[in-house]
Amino acid sequence: MKVCSPAEAPAAPSLRDRDRIAERFKWNLSNIFSDWDAWHAAYADLDLKIAAFGALQGTLAQGSDRLLAALQLRDDIGQLEYKVWYYASLWHDQDQRDNQINAKRQQVQILFAKAAQAAAWFDPELLKIQLTTIQEWMAASPALALYRFALEDLYRQQEHVLDDKGEHLLSLSSRFSSSPNDAYAALSTADVKYPSVRLSEGAEVTLTYGQYRAILATNRNQADRAAAYQEFHKIYEASINTYASLYDAVLQRDLFFSQARGYASTLDAALNGNNIPTAVVENLIAATKAGTDPLRRYHRLRKRVLGLDTYHSYDTTIPLVDFDRKYPYEDVLEWLPASVAPLGPDYERQLRKILSGQCIDVYENPGKRSGAYSAPVYGVQPYVLLNYNDTLDAVFTLAHEMGHSMHTVLSHAHQPFVYAGYTIFVAEVPSTLSEALFLNYMLAHTSDERERIVLLQHAIDGIVATFYTQVMFADYELQAHRLAERGQPVTGDVLADIYFDLLKAYHGDALDYDDRSRLTWARIPHFFSTPYYVYQYATCYASSAQIMKQVVGGSEASRAAAVDRYLALLKSGGSDHPMALLQRAGVDLSRPEPVRAVVDQLEALVTQLEDVVG
Ligand SMILES: [Zn+2]
């Protein structure tokens, strides 16, 4: 089928009331509970089970069957929690204006807090039993041995748990450990005075972050983009010493906790939970810095195509061409399963089942939550929320969420409940792989040059945003934390130097630099809210790029083996540490090859783009 001939696509559907949208475009929540009465009954059942779990306190040391009973009850509670939570939460998301449903959703949150309290005794009580005793119990009981990875992992992390007095002291610090981030949010959002800018056409625009981004992404007048950039950065310039002081507080807090718990470094403390060696992040940073050539080529190409004499940070997001093709949902429903053909007929069949199975809430309606997600409702099915608006972005979002959903389906089908969930370290592998396969399909079927340019730019910008930028951020965080670890001063100037040097290390002479880009670090909320987090987007992307290379390249036999390894990864859920799971899928993140796969991918895309634009 020819997908991309210039089509007379119908206009995107306008905002309709929910009851005017056909049932086949809405999710069917009665697969979770038949009605609210059934939900109430499950809620009451959950409440009882939570109390029953609390009553098991003090029993674990009595023997293997008591531990097994507690673990099984905990699984029961967990499974019920999925259903009770998502039924209320998904109802809420389809129309957030409904107060009665919102109240039910909050009721679940209160119950969850109660559940956490009722279960708080479990880990400390378990850890008082020697691991060797637990291992003997597991050797004698296959039912208990099912929990081996979960139990042994708890003991592994025990090394950094303090005695009761120490833990109590640390828990008291939780009252102020989020203060730097709270203050950052207040300073950068609640208390901020947004500047305004007069655009060349005369309009005066208030520069909220959304408006600022919109100008950079849509305004074809470079002087307007420059003015918006300069004005917007004045927000940070005006308070840069305060931002630096808050960031210093983040660094000192992380250092405090890493030292208190006896980690070798702040990075080690951040990675230990998932058992990731620090070499993974160090290698990611080094290999990416060595692979910036195609990034620079892309920006030089953009400068030429956009006809600019100088090329700045504020010129990096404007589209190369204007393009407004619409992609009706029902067309895409055919293309998506076709795009996953390299993963085999079974995968394709299961994907079709999700696409036709009352799992997806497609269109926007008044009150519906914005954005998109895939919700893994254990024991039922994945539910996908979209706000599909016929744009190319919406199509790729659908492909992305289908990757998550297939991961859920395969993991839930092949894992016991305790291992059915997967960590963020693996989660974005199938979603990005799904997008990459879809891109290949679209590129193979388009005959429209403009569309080809848009597709290539979409893919390249995705790599820049989810890979290069995130690695640069990880590098920044690591350098800043190391300042604190070495006891060196952390000032606005020092932080600006780190950021500016990184910008130059990545972009070389492909970018003209503005003095105010020294301040951009203060605009990144992740630095303040979730240190050492963003690198995971990059490792996921690199893993996905390497798997993609193996799945679509090489001999038929090696492709088939790569597909088997990839499907095994999706089926493995959270049954082992993410590094081990990825290794079995053919990805070794302690080596440079995964990053090299991203660099190669970008090189190939930039070459294609150079060919089309001439
Ligand atoms: Zn995702």
Side-chain angles (χ1 to χ4, degrees):
M1 181 186 50
K2 196 173 222 181
V3 192
C4 303
S5 54
E8 291 116 72
S14 54
L15 200 58
R16 291 168 291 183
D17 278 338
R18 192 168 174 83
D19 52 14
R20 293 192 48 220
I21 298 173
E23 291 305 314
R24 69 180 192 282
F25 300 121
K26 291 191 273 192
W27 56 30
N28 180 0
L29 301 181
S30 67
N31 293 341
I32 309 177
F33 290 118
S34 54
D35 52 26
W36 282 105
D37 286 343
W39 178 83
H40 277 292
Y43 184 99
D45 187 24
L46 180 57
D47 202 1
L48 285 176
K49 286 189 161 135
I50 288 168
F53 190 81
L56 296 182
Q57 183 166 5
T59 62
L60 298 187
Q62 290 167 18
S64 147
D65 51 341
R66 305 308 290 267
L67 174 60
L68 180 61
L71 289 166
Q72 287 175 336
L73 180 55
R74 195 168 72 166
D75 284 356
D76 273 3
I77 292 172
Q79 293 185 41
L80 209 48
E81 280 180 340
Y82 266 95
K83 293 172 74 177
V84 168
W85 164 252
Y86 276 119
Y87 190 72
S89 167
L90 300 175
W91 263 100
H92 175 66
D93 284 349
Q94 68 188 30
D95 186 355
Q96 298 188 329
R97 297 168 304 177
D98 190 320
N99 279 315
Q100 274 186 326
I101 287 171
N102 194 18
K104 290 192 168 75
R105 189 175 141 275
Q106 289 178 20
Q107 215 181 318
V108 185
Q109 288 170 325
I110 293 165
L111 187 62
F112 281 8
K114 195 169 151 186
Q117 263 173 22
W121 59 272
F122 182 83
D123 288 0
E125 185 173 319
L126 174 72
L127 291 168
K128 286 205 175 80
I129 307 171
Q130 290 292 317
L131 177 60
T132 47
T133 307
I134 303 283
Q135 282 166 336
E136 281 163 23
W137 290 355
M138 289 192 291
S141 158
L144 190 62
L146 174 78
Y147 296 91
R148 180 182 304 279
F149 171 68
L151 292 172
E152 289 183 349
D153 197 49
L154 202 63
Y155 280 88
R156 179 184 66 82
Q157 297 185 53
Q158 169 69 359
E159 193 191 328
H160 298 284
V161 175
L162 307 184
D163 60 16
D164 289 354
K165 209 168 139 194
E167 283 298 319
H168 179 64
L169 199 58
L170 284 191
S171 76
L172 292 179
S173 72
S174 69
R175 294 178 197 168
F176 55 83
S177 62
S178 67
S179 296
N181 183 44
D182 296 344
Y184 173 79
L187 179 66
S188 63
T189 311
D191 289 347
V192 80
K193 285 216 175 9
Y194 290 113
S196 60
V197 64
R198 188 169 295 283
L199 300 177
S200 52
E201 286 176 349
E204 173 115 0
V205 178
T206 301
L207 289 175
T208 60
Y209 184 56
Q211 276 293 349
Y212 166 67
R213 294 258 310 213
I215 290 173
L216 262 47
T218 60
N219 192 315
R220 293 218 166 262
N221 185 327
Q222 190 189 32
D224 283 347
R225 295 196 300 271
Y229 183 86
Q230 299 297 347
E231 286 305 317
F232 191 73
H233 276 75
K234 286 182 186 169
I235 295 174
Y236 306 102
E237 194 172 52
S239 308
I240 196 65
N241 294 312
T242 313
Y243 281 106
S245 165
L246 290 174
Y247 193 49
D248 186 32
V250 169
L251 304 175
Q252 300 302 336
R253 178 204 60 199
D254 293 351
L255 179 59
F256 165 74
F257 280 108
S258 74
Q259 290 182 332
R261 294 200 175 280
Y263 290 102
S265 64
T266 52
L267 182 63
D268 186 33
L271 303 190
N272 189 269
N274 274 329
N275 204 18
I276 313 279
T278 51
V280 165
V281 173
E282 287 154 355
N283 165 62
L284 174 76
I285 288 170
T288 306
K289 255 188 187 148
T292 53
D293 264 7
L295 178 72
R296 296 176 188 193
R297 251 174 70 205
Y298 173 57
H299 285 303
R300 284 191 208 107
L301 177 69
R302 287 180 55 84
K303 179 180 177 182
R304 183 162 64 76
V305 173
L306 293 168
L308 299 173
D309 293 331
T310 58
Y311 182 79
H312 303 259
S313 297
Y314 45 81
D315 298 320
T316 56
T317 51
I318 193 89
L320 292 172
V321 291
D322 288 319
F323 183 77
D324 58 1
R325 180 173 175 199
K326 301 293 179 213
Y327 298 85
Y329 182 71
E330 294 194 281
D331 291 356
V332 179
L333 284 187
E334 282 307 310
W335 308 343
L336 258 179
S339 77
V340 300
L343 298 179
D346 233 29
Y347 188 99
E348 189 177 330
R349 185 182 48 75
Q350 282 185 293
L351 178 62
R352 278 187 196 280
K353 210 172 133 198
I354 301 176
L355 288 169
S356 61
Q358 302 180 312
C359 305
I360 309 180
D361 211 68
V362 181
Y363 295 113
E364 195 182 1
N365 57 252
K368 182 169 166 177
R369 183 198 144 118
S370 61
Y373 62 66
S374 170
V377 187
Y378 189 85
V380 188
Q381 63 189 47
Y383 279 95
V384 178
L385 179 135
L386 301 174
N387 280 277
Y388 193 86
N389 61 3
D390 292 8
T391 60
L392 190 66
D393 273 349
V395 179
F396 276 94
T397 300
L398 174 62
H400 182 102
E401 299 307 335
M402 284 307 109
H404 285 311
S405 302
M406 283 298 295
H407 195 184
T408 297
V409 165
L410 293 174
S411 164
H412 287 191
H414 291 87
Q415 291 299 321
F417 177 76
V418 61
Y419 304 129
Y422 38 82
T423 65
I424 161 84
F425 201 84
V426 181
E428 296 301 337
V429 175
S431 53
T432 48
L433 189 99
S434 179
E435 285 193 67
L437 286 170
F438 190 69
L439 175 80
N440 275 3
Y441 177 84
M442 294 290 279
L443 284 173
H445 288 79
T446 187
S447 56
D448 177 338
E449 296 253 301
R450 278 181 108 66
E451 183 172 57
R452 186 176 298 280
I453 293 171
V454 171
L455 286 167
L456 290 167
Q457 192 190 338
H458 179 94
I460 293 169
D461 288 347
I463 295 178
V464 174
T466 49
F467 185 78
Y468 282 91
T469 304
Q470 305 307 329
V471 180
M472 195 181 90
F473 286 173
D475 198 345
Y476 175 84
E477 291 189 285
L478 185 58
Q479 290 189 43
H481 277 84
R482 283 185 174 162
L483 284 180
E485 286 167 6
R486 289 193 298 255
Q488 289 171 334
V490 178
T491 63
D493 281 347
V494 172
L495 294 172
D497 284 347
I498 295 178
Y499 196 81
F500 202 53
D501 287 348
L502 276 170
L503 272 183
K504 288 195 275 195
Y506 274 68
H507 301 93
D509 61 1
L511 206 60
D512 291 293
Y513 297 93
D514 300 86
D515 215 34
R516 286 209 170 87
S517 56
R518 294 169 55 82
L519 307 168
T520 307
W521 66 269
R523 194 194 56 65
I524 315 300
H526 271 120
F527 291 162
F528 296 83
S529 62
T530 44
Y532 290 132
Y533 184 85
V534 295
Y535 82 94
Q536 300 181 101
Y537 297 123
T539 46
C540 278
Y541 199 90
S543 307
S544 155
Q546 201 184 6
I547 293 172
M548 183 72 186
K549 202 172 181 170
Q550 296 166 355
V551 162
V552 299
S555 70
E556 201 181 323
S558 83
R559 286 201 308 269
V563 168
D564 284 347
R565 285 196 305 268
Y566 175 61
L567 296 180
L569 172 71
L570 300 192
K571 291 171 187 168
S572 64
S575 58
D576 204 339
H577 293 122
M579 282 283 285
L581 295 176
L582 286 167
Q583 238 146 20
R584 273 176 247 146
V587 178
D588 185 349
L589 285 169
S590 64
R591 299 189 47 81
E593 282 83 0
V595 172
R596 200 58 233 173
V598 183
V599 177
D600 291 349
Q601 208 178 62
L602 182 60
E603 216 152 61
L605 290 165
V606 173
T607 302
Q608 287 183 62
L609 187 58
E610 284 168 347
D611 288 348
V612 200
V613 298

